[in-house]
Every structure is written in C-alpha cells, then in structure tokens.
Amino acid sequence: MPAERAALSARQQDIVRAARDLLTSEGVEALTLGRVAQALGIKPPSLYKHFGGKRELEAVLIAEGLEAHAEALRGARSLTEIAAAYRRFALANPQLYRLMTERPLPRDLLPPGLEERAAAPVIHAAGGDPDLARATWAFAHGMVQLELADRFPPGADLDAAWDTAITAFEARVRA
C-alpha cells in the first residue's frame, strides 16, 4: 500500500498517530506492532486489517517525515541555509530522523516522487550538482548522527565544524 496520507482511513490515521507518539516518546526500538496495538487497546492481529505489517506502518511514518523534512528545507536557498534547516529538523525530531535514515528506504511503499521532492532543495542549493548534493547530505547526516549519539567531546564547537565544511561545499558551488 503506498504511504499516501490522503488515502488513509480514519482508523489507519489513529494507528499512525499511536505509532508516531510511541516513536517520539520511546524511540525506534519501541516501535513494534505489539506496542502500537497496546497503545490503542487492541490485539496486534487487528492491525493487519489496516496495514500489511510493520514495514507498511513505518513507511507511512517515513513518508510523513520526508514531507516534513522537505517543508523544513523549503525556502532555504544556499547550502548554509540547507545545512542549518537540516540540522534543526533532525535535532527536533531525533527518533523520526533515525527511522528515516538508519535503514534502507522503503521506496516501493513511498508516494511517487516523494524522495525526489525531499532531495530537490539540496540539489538546487548545490548548483544542480547531484554529487555535491550527496556529499553535503552525507556530511550533514554524519554530523547529526554523531551529535544525536553525543559522540563529540565536551566543549567541541560543532557550529564551527558545520561552518568549516559547509563553507567548503559552498566554495565548490561557486567554482
């Protein structure tokens, strides 16, 4: 089932809301069909009337996340603005970000064109260079992952690290 928000029934929306709340409050590891069913006061097999399984439910959450991410980047024109918006989004939505980025993307379950829409602002800010956009995304993703995992030493100037790298990427766009 494609993860199109408008196509969800009212009951599916309730299930997605419960899954999103569980994800936000307890993390990716807590996102099981058993826990979602428990939050709704139903038995886990009942969820299969509405979703083919956990992968489909996660795809809806990932699609929501990609839409929200695309919206967060809307209006950002430079790689500096993109990086700042990307970091804000990830740090504000750490569990959703993890769900979106730490495993293979369920492309077959996402709405057509969603991945491209989510990536478009980065590619545009990279001067249309998809390789530079990927490199920028890889840097931003790595920095965010390390920041979320609290892997930097105390007192590390993360803003300076972001500025140093993004300045180098921006120079590449201008070249």
Side-chain angles (χ1 to χ4, degrees), residues 68-92:
H69 183 260
E71 182 61 31
L73 299 185
R74 188 180 327 277
R77 299 291 174 236
S78 68
L79 288 178
T80 300
E81 292 172 351
I82 291 287
Y86 186 97
R87 184 180 183 198
R88 275 192 307 274
F89 176 84
L91 296 179

Side-chain angles (χ1 to χ4, degrees), residues 151-169:
R151 292 295 306 268
F152 291 104
D157 189 346
L158 301 185
D159 292 336
W162 278 88
D163 290 344
T164 298
I166 298 303
T167 298
F169 289 130

